[in-house]
């Protein structure tokens, strides 16, 4: 408007209205800006990929140790605990990441801790005394009552509501589909779970369970091994299991524990998911699990006390040679220098695809590792409305595995924001291709991928989102495909080199769960001693 020009009431009201609209628009944009706060984190694959180039500086420091543990995940930490308990304290742990724990790691924001990998531990079988001893050491298991029932810290276990399933447009308790299923489906569900109960108790003539934890204790009878040579999907077809709801449940279960679904895992692995856990330690708590806002990072923290003053983080091992002693070259990423560590014995608590790169004559085993995406979402407190969030929230037919409510065990009233973590494995015949695709995806692509899944149950979830953090794990877990667990490749991969280099990792069990990683560390530390 030119200076001195008349300004009518109509123009004034129009300007005020327009100004109000602009202000509302700017406020809306500000809110939307918060909604679209996106971040990506992940394992340090950039440093890890330097193993291919090996363009490291010359050695500038030499360290002497009796024992060297490479890898600060659960297997490596478990080995440290065993050494310490057997009065061996001359050891050192090297870890590529800037933290210990491996897949049992966590993040934290102003509202909650949250897992960046494994997030719970089922109650152990009574036969697994080493895990039970560890739980006692942590104060989680507090002894037995007068009836011999274990006394457990209930604050470290799932509270009600433990799990729910979004099925046929509404939430139901439990993740077994129930609402409106056919009589034929109900009969199949009953028949399947009856078979699993039989498998759970089944033993061979030597008294070994067909399906045990650790898997090393399972029966090696021919009839059992044959189950590991066929696909779970084929075994289900041979036993006339065909209902959509049952097959979905089994596929979800396998993706949840193994990363791959029924089309890819062995029948042995599929059955083990249901039959490996005996539910025989506690009658009172048998359907619950131990869990924490930070997931299994809580357990990694307990184990990490055995590495105090004995750990070097951001150290990438890139070459190992066994002579009279073992010479290990590692790159200190923080100080940009190379160190040589000379040890009597070395334990590689690292996956086999890494070992193949750092041992020049190591055979290539071509194990398959499944990529995973975790997405931690901070939401306005109003999210969920009248519906109580369960600890585990699963969506029927979803490509993902649902989400966990990270503040589930908070005994105080949640008046701030809510934090959930969404899990997704990439169940495919080509894990390498899926891994490349995952790492190529940017923030907005990941946002669409995740929200398209969650909107099946929560159409308006985007209105509540304040922040999304995407965490990529390229080689999250070993895939228990046929012949992986009991096959010759795995047997060869377990063999020590010259009695000086030893191997401990959950990929040598063929199943990536806490108990297997914990067992691998103990077993291999025993071998070293």
């Amino acid at each position: 408007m030119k200076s001195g020009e008349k300004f009518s009431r109509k123009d004034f009201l129009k300007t005020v209205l327009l100004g109000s609209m602009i202000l509302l628009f700017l406020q809306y944009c500000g809110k939307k800006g918060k909604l679209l706060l996106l971040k990506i984190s992940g394992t340090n694959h950039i440093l890890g990929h330097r193993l291919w180039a090996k363009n490291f500086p010359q050695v500038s420091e030499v360290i002497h140790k009796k024992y060297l543990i490479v890898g600060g995940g659960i297997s490596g930490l478990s080995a440290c605990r065993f050494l310490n308990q057997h009065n061996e304290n001359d050891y050192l742990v090297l870890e590529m990441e800037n933290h210990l724990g491996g897949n049992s790691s966590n993040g934290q924001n102003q509202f909650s801790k949250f897992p960046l990998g494994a997030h719970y531990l089922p109650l152990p079988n009574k036969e697994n005394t080493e895990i039970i001893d560890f739980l006692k050491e942590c104060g989680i298991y507090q002894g037995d009552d007068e009836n011999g029932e274990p006394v457990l810290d209930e604050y470290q276990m799932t509270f009600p509501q433990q799990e729910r399933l979004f099925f046929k447009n509404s939430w139901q308790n439990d993740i077994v589909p129930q609402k409106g299923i056919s009589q034929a489906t109900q009969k199949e569900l009953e028949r399947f779970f009856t078979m699993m109960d039989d498998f759970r108790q089944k033993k061979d003539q030597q008294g070994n369970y067909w399906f045990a934890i650790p898997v090393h204790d399972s029966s090696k009878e021919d009839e059992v091994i044959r189950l590991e040579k066929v696909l779970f999907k084929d075994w289900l077809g041979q036993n006339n299991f065909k209902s959509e709801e049952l097959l979905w449940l089994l596929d979800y279960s396998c993706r949840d524990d193994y990363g791959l679904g029924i089309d890819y895992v062995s029948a042995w692995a599929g059955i083990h998911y249901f039959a490996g856990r005996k539910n025989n330690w506690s009658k009172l708590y048998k359907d619950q699990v131990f869990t924490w806002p930070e997931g299994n990072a809580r357990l990694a923290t307990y184990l990490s006390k055995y590495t105090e003053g004995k750990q070097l983080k951001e150290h990438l091992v890139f070459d190992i040679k066994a002579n009279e002693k073992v010479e290990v070259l590692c790159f200190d990423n923080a100080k940009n220098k190379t160190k040589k560590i000379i040890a009597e014995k070395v334990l590689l608590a690292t996956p086999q695809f890494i070992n193949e790169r750092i041992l020049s004559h190591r055979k290539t085993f071509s194990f398959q590792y499944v990529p995973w995406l975790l997405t931690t979402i901070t939401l306005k407190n109003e999210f969920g409305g009248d519906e109580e969030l369960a600890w585990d929230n699963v969506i029927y037919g979803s490509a993902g595995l649902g989400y966990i409510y990270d503040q589930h065990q908070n005994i105080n009233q949640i008046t701030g924001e809510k934090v959930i973590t969404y899990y997704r494995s990439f169940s495919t015949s080509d894990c390498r291709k899926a891994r490349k695709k995952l790492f190529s995806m940017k923030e907005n692509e990941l946002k669409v991928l995740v929200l398209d899944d969650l909107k099946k149950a929560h159409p308006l979830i985007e209105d509540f989102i304040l922040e999304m953090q995407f965490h990529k794990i390229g080689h999250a877990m070993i895939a228990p495909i046929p012949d992986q667990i009991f096959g010759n490749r795995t047997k060869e991969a377990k063999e020590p080199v010259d009695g000086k280099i030893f191997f401990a990792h959950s990929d040598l069990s063929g199943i990536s769960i806490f108990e297997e990683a914990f067992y691998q560390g103990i077993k291999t530390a025993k071998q070293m001693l």
Side-chain angles (χ1 to χ4, degrees):
M1 184 183 299
K2 294 178 183 177
S3 178
E5 189 169 330
K6 290 185 178 178
F7 191 13
S8 69
R9 179 174 178 274
K10 181 180 179 181
D11 290 333
F12 175 77
L13 292 174
K14 189 188 295 183
T15 303
V16 170
L17 179 61
L18 182 61
S20 300
M21 290 174 68
I22 290 172
L23 180 60
L24 286 170
F25 176 74
L26 289 174
Q27 289 174 338
Y28 175 78
C29 287
K31 290 178 181 178
K32 292 300 283 185
K34 288 183 179 179
L35 298 182
L36 297 177
L37 182 58
L38 309 175
K39 298 189 293 185
I40 292 180
S41 65
T43 52
N44 195 347
H45 67 284
I46 295 174
L47 176 58
H49 285 174
R50 288 192 66 175
L51 280 175
W52 275 251
K54 295 195 176 182
N55 54 339
F56 301 105
Q58 294 296 310
V59 173
S60 58
E61 182 180 348
V62 178
I63 300 171
H64 292 265
K65 286 289 172 183
K66 186 175 183 180
Y67 299 110
L68 178 67
I69 293 92
V70 180
I74 297 302
S75 292
L77 296 176
S78 176
C80 292
R81 173 176 175 268
F82 185 86
L83 292 174
N84 183 279
Q85 291 178 333
H86 290 79
N87 300 314
E88 290 286 355
N89 291 296
D90 187 11
Y91 59 85
L92 180 67
V93 181
L94 301 183
E95 170 55 46
M96 182 186 76
E97 302 289 343
N98 61 7
H99 61 274
L100 301 176
N103 280 347
S104 294
S105 301
N106 75 282
Q108 183 171 357
N109 61 23
Q110 60 181 309
F111 305 109
S112 180
K113 293 180 179 179
F114 50 84
L116 294 177
H119 61 282
Y120 68 97
L121 174 67
L123 267 66
N125 299 335
K126 69 178 182 181
E127 295 84 2
N128 197 338
T129 56
E130 288 170 332
I131 287 280
I132 291 173
D133 288 345
F134 172 60
L135 293 175
K136 193 166 191 176
E137 177 187 322
C138 300
I140 298 171
Y141 163 44
Q142 301 170 346
D144 296 336
D145 65 15
E146 62 276 9
N147 300 315
E149 176 76 13
V151 178
L152 306 175
D153 183 356
E154 294 183 352
Y155 290 102
Q156 302 193 59
M157 305 177 77
T158 47
F159 296 169
Q161 178 181 11
Q162 181 168 320
E163 55 189 11
R164 62 177 184 164
L165 174 68
F166 189 77
F167 180 59
K168 295 190 175 181
N169 295 318
S170 64
W171 290 100
Q172 61 156 62
N173 292 333
D174 204 341
I175 60 169
V176 179
Q178 299 167 9
K179 181 181 177 181
I181 61 174
S182 68
Q183 190 173 16
T185 295
Q186 184 64 47
K187 286 182 178 180
E188 273 198 33
L189 285 165
E190 292 171 0
R191 182 164 64 89
F192 177 80
F193 285 115
T194 298
M195 287 183 71
M196 295 304 106
D197 286 340
D198 290 342
F199 276 128
R200 186 177 291 115
Q201 304 303 328
K202 206 169 182 65
K203 293 183 178 182
D204 63 19
Q205 292 182 346
Q206 287 73 44
N208 300 311
Y209 281 116
W210 275 33
F211 300 91
I213 298 175
V215 297
H216 177 270
D217 294 341
S218 301
S219 172
K220 308 301 189 298
E221 297 287 337
D222 290 345
E223 190 176 358
V224 181
I225 300 299
R226 277 198 293 272
L227 291 169
E228 216 249 327
K229 297 184 180 298
V230 299
L231 290 170
F232 192 27
K233 181 180 181 180
D234 293 341
W235 182 87
L236 291 167
Q238 291 163 12
N239 286 274
N240 202 31
F241 291 113
K242 55 189 178 184
S243 85
E244 176 190 302
E245 292 88 349
L246 174 62
L247 294 180
W248 170 82
L249 175 66
L250 304 185
D251 189 68
Y252 162 81
S253 300
C254 289
R255 286 186 292 130
D256 189 45
D257 249 28
Y258 308 140
L260 296 184
I262 60 175
D263 290 346
Y264 309 108
V265 303
S266 70
W268 191 95
I271 297 169
H272 184 273
Y273 177 91
F274 298 94
R277 303 194 186 282
K278 310 304 176 186
N279 300 328
N280 60 3
W281 184 39
S282 168
K283 295 176 183 177
L284 180 62
Y285 299 110
K286 66 178 183 179
D287 294 325
Q288 291 175 262
V289 301
F290 299 112
T291 189
W292 308 269
E294 67 269 40
N296 288 4
R298 177 74 64 93
L299 300 174
T301 299
Y302 285 129
L303 287 169
S304 295
K305 71 179 183 180
Y306 294 103
T307 70
E308 291 177 7
K310 302 175 185 295
Q311 56 174 268
L312 294 176
K313 301 171 187 172
E314 292 192 79
H315 278 63
L316 173 69
V317 170
F318 63 88
D319 189 60
I320 298 178
K321 288 184 173 61
N323 297 306
E324 185 178 341
K325 292 190 175 182
V326 186
E327 296 186 358
V328 177
L329 299 182
C330 64
F331 175 66
D332 180 342
N333 191 46
K335 296 182 179 179
N336 194 34
K337 61 188 287 189
T338 295
K339 300 174 182 177
K340 178 188 287 187
I341 301 172
I342 300 174
E344 292 181 16
K345 295 181 181 181
V346 173
L347 189 159
L348 290 177
T350 41
Q352 305 318 304
F353 71 91
I354 295 293
N355 298 340
E356 292 160 10
R357 291 286 173 180
I358 59 181
L359 289 168
S360 56
H361 300 296
R362 180 74 167 168
K363 179 180 176 180
T364 300
F365 295 105
S366 301
F367 289 175
Q368 290 190 41
Y369 298 86
V370 186
W372 281 66
L373 171 70
L374 281 70
T375 307
T376 296
I377 307 175
T378 304
L379 299 140
K380 296 176 184 177
N381 182 259
E382 297 79 15
F383 175 74
D386 295 331
E387 293 185 356
E388 179 189 0
L389 299 184
W391 168 66
D392 191 13
N393 307 265
V394 181
I395 302 170
Y396 182 86
S398 168
L401 296 163
Y403 62 90
I404 58 167
Y405 179 35
D406 297 315
Q407 296 144 305
H408 165 78
Q409 293 148 292
N410 194 322
I411 58 174
N412 300 316
Q413 185 176 357
I414 302 294
T415 55
E417 315 305 350
K418 291 177 178 172
V419 183
I420 65 173
T421 298
Y422 165 90
Y423 283 77
R424 185 176 186 134
S425 72
F426 294 85
S427 182
T428 172
S429 61
D430 194 337
C431 291
R432 184 181 180 190
K433 184 177 179 181
R435 184 160 41 250
K436 285 186 175 181
K437 173 66 175 174
L438 174 61
F439 277 104
S440 72
M441 297 180 76
K442 306 301 181 186
E443 288 92 336
N444 281 317
E445 294 176 279
L446 294 168
K447 170 178 171 282
V448 171
L449 183 79
V450 173
L451 292 188
D452 281 354
D453 218 15
L454 290 175
K455 284 178 180 178
K456 295 181 178 75
H458 303 290
L460 301 179
I461 188 172
E462 198 165 0
D463 294 340
F464 297 91
I465 296 176
L466 299 174
E467 178 179 303
M468 298 178 74
Q469 177 175 322
F470 308 102
H471 188 72
K472 302 175 180 179
I473 311 178
H475 300 81
M477 55 172 54
I478 187 69
I481 59 175
D483 223 26
Q484 177 64 53
I485 296 170
F486 300 118
N488 289 328
R489 291 182 307 160
T490 302
K491 289 178 183 176
E492 289 182 51
K494 293 176 182 178
E495 289 299 315
V497 177
D498 299 330
K500 296 174 182 175
I501 302 173
F502 299 80
F503 304 96
H505 194 271
S506 60
D507 64 3
L508 297 176
S509 293
I511 291 178
S512 184
I513 56 176
F514 180 90
E515 298 98 317
E516 295 296 342
F518 186 82
Y519 163 76
Q520 286 289 332
I522 292 173
K523 174 187 74 71
T524 310
K526 282 181 182 177
Q527 279 185 300
M528 286 177 64
L529 295 184

